């Protein structure tokens, strides 16, 4: 099922489909005003956590590296405690890898967690 149809997201969050990271940056860049409730400098990314997408890493590492305040991991999996802390503290959580990233934070933990982050899943 598409993410928009997942029951936990329908209950607690707005979920939209974007076809690419380029569409995201295009939409942000063309906006007249970025909402002040989310700080675009407060982000954490997970880029290729399985370390099997070399071309993706090569293409997107410079993109996520442009914003010096963004923190993240490349080519390795984050720990569950790290992900839980990040979604509670950062304004954005960006996942760029295979699948949905649920192996790094269980559904049970997600339900019990405080989530401050707008989450972008690109898997």
């Amino acid at each position: 099922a598409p993410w928009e149809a997942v029951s936990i997201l329908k209950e607690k969050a707005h979920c939209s489909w974007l076809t690419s990271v380029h569409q995201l940056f295009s939409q942000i860049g063309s906006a007249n005003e970025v909402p002040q409730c989310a700080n675009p400098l407060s982000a954490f990314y997970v880029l290729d956590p399985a370390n099997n997408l070399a071309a993706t890493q090569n293409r997107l590492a410079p993109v996520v590296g442009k914003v010096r305040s963004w923190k993240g991991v490349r080519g390795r999996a984050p720990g569950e405690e790290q992900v839980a802390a990040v979604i509670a503290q950062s304004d954005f959580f960006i996942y760029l890898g295979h699948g949905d990233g649920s192996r790094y934070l269980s559904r049970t933990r997600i339900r019990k967690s405080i989530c401050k982050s707008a989450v972008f899943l690109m898997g």
Side-chain angles (χ1 to χ4, degrees), residues 8 16 32 45 75 77 85 88 100 109 112 116:
I8 190 172
S16 299
N32 292 330
Y45 61 87
D100 61 10
R109 184 74 185 264
K112 293 179 181 178
K116 173 185 175 186

Side-chain angles (χ1 to χ4, degrees), residues 36-40 42-44 86 89-93 116-119:
Q36 296 300 312
C37 59
N39 179 356
S42 173
F44 186 91
V86 163
Q89 297 167 0
S90 298
D91 286 359
F92 294 94
F93 179 80
K116 173 185 175 186
S117 296
V119 179

Side-chain angles (χ1 to χ4, degrees), residues 61-74:
V63 174
V64 296
K66 282 184 180 180
V67 184
R68 294 179 191 249
S69 63
W70 285 12
K71 303 201 179 348
V73 296
R74 299 178 193 166

